[in-house]
Amino acid sequence: MNIRIIFSILLVHVGLQSHSQTNMPCVREISFEEVAARFNTHNDKRAPMTFLSGFSVEGDAKSLTKNPMQVMFNPIANVQRADCELMRWDPVTRVWAKFSGNQLKKSSEGSKMFWSAGIDQSGIFALMKEIPLHGETNLHLPEGLTSEEWRYVQPNLGVVCESYSHCQTLLIPLPALSPMAQITMKLRKVGGTVETISHMPMGVLVGDFWKKPDAVNQTWDISFASVK
Amino acid sequence: MRNLKIIFLGVVMGLATSVAFAYAAHVDIGEALKRNIIRCQAVKAGSGIDLTVSNLLHDSVYLEIGSGWIFPTADPSMQPQVVSRSHMICLSEGEERRARLLTLCGNAPGRVVPMGYANFLKPALGKSEMVAMLRELEPYKLDRKNIAQSIVWHYTNGHSMANFHPGNSNMEEYLTAMHVFQVNEPSVVDPGYRIRYRESTNQDAAVFSGASEEIEGHVSFKVNETTNCLVALLDQQGKVLKPLKYVNEQQPGEFELSFNSYVFDLPKGNYSVAVLDKNGMTLGELPVEI
């Protein structure tokens, strides 16, 4: 009987310990490399945005609601505050969504100016900038191949695009692609085998890139002849 | 020659008598009560006490009740009343007059004195530092402001400057009071933060709830290389309790950041507000007592 009581107390104690562990507030930086690996930079209209910086907030939801955390960004050279938005990752739809209070405001600490916003919920947040140029580039796969999923990563623009639909033409929502950008694809051959191509530079995958550096809204044929 | 002596003695006696009368006629409340010049009765009234004074002299009396006089209650659990603004009551021979004295609470945890309470003891002058402070504050008419009450509790209950929250004072009033305090008390160290306590239900500044609701202040820190900074409230073991501010990519330099945090959900004790870099290293820390 006594052993049972002691065991129950121990269980409760362990439970409380684990509960307090999960509620421990934590703020962690999210780098572009992490966004490239785990997320994307699509907004809720699935338009690509430029990732500027990111962080994750974990902690007690009640405490954050009562005591929102202020996030402060040092103004970024050649970037207007009005063009930037703080967005929250929606893991269900896999897009960055707006949330209440996401607009950046000017705030000052002494003589120093910041862009700031209040965070009253846990989650993964990113400072994003709109991309003013709209358009799309098509990448056509060779016959007999379809893509099950792909991921386009362009670090110099801070853009990560992805798709999980079966297609033969990859529709990248950018007017122009960079030859240095990398693409990761899961390809299915007609026979049924699946092959993954990881972090392949576009300049290698699409040889014609170098011939028309200023082309926009183009359709390119992917060639695996040069891929080893 | 003899006549001259008589005249001289007469003049000296006359002068002595007039000085004696003048001394008797212009007295503070302590001296007046000690010498039975007056009789007084204090009754608790709104924002202070009503003092009824009777002149027992066969002459006019100029009774001075300076700021800093304390009217203790017979029940020690009740709040003594500290006069916050000087009064001069002029009484003709045998006259009785009533005056309203503005007062502040002289014991933070004391119970509120009910209206009409009349069981006050003989007034006593408060600490000389408090008297001097209240006299300096008097011209600014801050009697009804939380900051004046907080300053009184500094002297009567040893409250630190952390309790000097602006409360219902506007910024000008608050800064004025702080300036006067710091000029008068240069040795008192400013802890760098303020605690806002829960207000009483009737928003009476003289009621000290003792329940801290919010802290606000500034924390200084030094950054040696560009990093993300987290300003957080930590417990005594250094665990993050509340993230307060996150500064993205702070470049090197010396900085000061403001912070505020609700603390009503935390037990009383010692905490700190720290600035941590992205590796969890402390860049600056401010000890905080809630």
Side-chain angles (χ1 to χ4, degrees), chain B residues 25-123:
Chain B
H26 193 156
V27 287
D28 69 35
I29 190 166
E31 182 74 11
L33 286 169
K34 191 176 162 190
R35 293 173 54 195
N36 285 326
I37 292 171
I38 57 150
R39 184 176 57 234
C40 71
Q41 171 67 54
V43 177
K44 180 73 177 108
S47 61
I49 51 176
D50 279 340
L51 191 70
T52 306
V53 188
S54 306
N55 180 6
L56 305 178
L57 267 193
H58 296 292
D59 198 354
S60 317
V61 166
Y62 295 92
L63 179 70
E64 194 181 342
I65 308 158
S67 46
W69 278 92
I70 303 173
F71 286 78
T73 48
D75 180 348
S77 69
M78 283 188 180
Q79 297 176 343
Q81 302 294 301
V82 180
V83 176
S84 61
R85 200 180 297 183
S86 300
H87 285 260
M88 173 74 85
I89 304 171
C90 305
L91 300 154
S92 61
E93 184 184 342
E95 190 184 1
E96 184 179 279
R97 294 190 82 162
R98 194 169 71 176
R100 172 72 54 91
L101 305 180
L102 297 178
T103 59
L104 294 163
C105 163
N107 182 22
R111 284 190 297 129
V112 176
V113 180
M115 292 290 170
Y117 179 87
N119 211 357
F120 285 99
L121 303 177
K122 202 172 155 185

Side-chain angles (χ1 to χ4, degrees), chain A residues 24-25 27-29 53-55 57 63-64 66-74 109 112 114, chain B residues 228 230 239-250 255-258 260-262 264 278:
Chain A
M24 186 69 78
V27 182
R28 189 175 63 82
E29 182 190 7
S53 61
F55 58 93
V57 180
S63 174
L64 272 169
K66 281 177 191 164
N67 211 117
M69 185 183 78
Q70 195 183 7
V71 187
M72 301 162 82
F73 298 94
N74 283 286
E109 287 283 346
K112 210 165 155 36
F114 290 95
Chain B
N228 300 323
L230 175 68
K239 275 187 198 164
V240 174
L241 297 175
K242 287 170 192 270
L244 307 177
K245 268 187 178 175
Y246 180 76
V247 185
N248 186 66
E249 296 203 357
Q250 182 57 62
F255 306 96
E256 191 179 69
L257 281 178
S258 63
N260 72 310
S261 171
Y262 286 101
F264 51 78
K278 60 182 174 186

Side-chain angles (χ1 to χ4, degrees), chain A residues 15 22 25 30 42 56 86-87 96-97 107 114 139-140 142 167 171 178-179 184 199 213:
Chain A
T22 52
I30 303 283
H42 292 297
S56 71
L86 191 62
M87 308 192 86
W96 295 90
S107 68
F114 290 95
L139 298 178
H140 195 69
C167 58
L171 198 151
S178 163
T184 297
H199 309 294

Side-chain angles (χ1 to χ4, degrees), chain B:
Chain B
M1 189 63 183
R2 193 174 173 180
N3 283 346
L4 272 174
K5 276 184 180 173
I6 291 166
I7 292 165
F8 178 73
L9 279 171
V11 169
V12 168
M13 283 184 72
L15 276 172
T17 313
S18 66
V19 166
F21 268 100
Y23 182 66
H26 193 156
V27 287
D28 69 35
I29 190 166
E31 182 74 11
L33 286 169
K34 191 176 162 190
R35 293 173 54 195
N36 285 326
I37 292 171
I38 57 150
R39 184 176 57 234
C40 71
Q41 171 67 54
V43 177
K44 180 73 177 108
S47 61
I49 51 176
D50 279 340
L51 191 70
T52 306
V53 188
S54 306
N55 180 6
L56 305 178
L57 267 193
H58 296 292
D59 198 354
S60 317
V61 166
Y62 295 92
L63 179 70
E64 194 181 342
I65 308 158
S67 46
W69 278 92
I70 303 173
F71 286 78
T73 48
D75 180 348
S77 69
M78 283 188 180
Q79 297 176 343
Q81 302 294 301
V82 180
V83 176
S84 61
R85 200 180 297 183
S86 300
H87 285 260
M88 173 74 85
I89 304 171
C90 305
L91 300 154
S92 61
E93 184 184 342
E95 190 184 1
E96 184 179 279
R97 294 190 82 162
R98 194 169 71 176
R100 172 72 54 91
L101 305 180
L102 297 178
T103 59
L104 294 163
C105 163
N107 182 22
R111 284 190 297 129
V112 176
V113 180
M115 292 290 170
Y117 179 87
N119 211 357
F120 285 99
L121 303 177
K122 202 172 155 185
L125 195 58
K127 282 180 186 170
S128 57
E129 296 90 345
M130 181 179 77
V131 173
M133 181 71 214
L134 286 173
R135 279 187 188 154
E136 291 284 331
L137 275 180
E138 232 184 285
Y140 304 105
K141 297 187 169 69
L142 301 172
D143 316 71
R144 302 267 56 84
K145 302 294 177 183
N146 292 54
I147 184 62
Q149 181 61 78
S150 300
I151 287 173
V152 166
W153 285 334
H154 168 76
Y155 295 103
T156 60
N157 294 84
H159 283 193
S160 86
M161 273 180 86
N163 288 11
F164 288 11
H165 193 274
N168 62 354
S169 329
N170 65 38
M171 199 40 70
E172 193 184 340
E173 291 167 339
Y174 176 71
L175 293 175
T176 301
M178 289 309 301
H179 176 71
V180 171
F181 180 82
Q182 283 171 326
V183 167
N184 273 262
E185 301 285 0
S187 59
V188 177
V189 179
D190 189 340
Y193 66 95
R194 298 285 180 266
I195 301 174
R196 182 175 61 76
Y197 289 93
R198 191 172 62 223
E199 280 186 12
S200 66
T201 45
N202 57 355
Q203 295 185 329
D204 185 353
V207 179
F208 180 67
S209 69
S212 35
E213 287 214 312
E214 190 179 6
I215 56 163
E216 54 190 53
H218 289 84
V219 58
S220 304
F221 62 105
K222 191 178 176 184
V223 178
N224 292 323
E225 55 184 38
T226 302
T227 184
N228 300 323
C229 299
L230 175 68
V231 182
L233 183 69
L234 312 182
D235 66 8
Q236 265 187 305
Q237 285 72 44
K239 275 187 198 164
V240 174
L241 297 175
K242 287 170 192 270
L244 307 177
K245 268 187 178 175
Y246 180 76
V247 185
N248 186 66
E249 296 203 357
Q250 182 57 62
Q251 288 176 341
E254 288 185 26
F255 306 96
E256 191 179 69
L257 281 178
S258 63
F259 65 84
N260 72 310
S261 171
Y262 286 101
V263 292
F264 51 78
D265 50 349
L266 296 177
K268 285 191 180 295
N270 293 314
Y271 298 86
S272 67
V273 174
V275 183
L276 309 170
D277 71 5
K278 60 182 174 186
N279 300 317
M281 296 295 290
T282 305
L283 303 173
E285 195 167 15
L286 178 74
V288 168
E289 192 184 340
I290 295 169

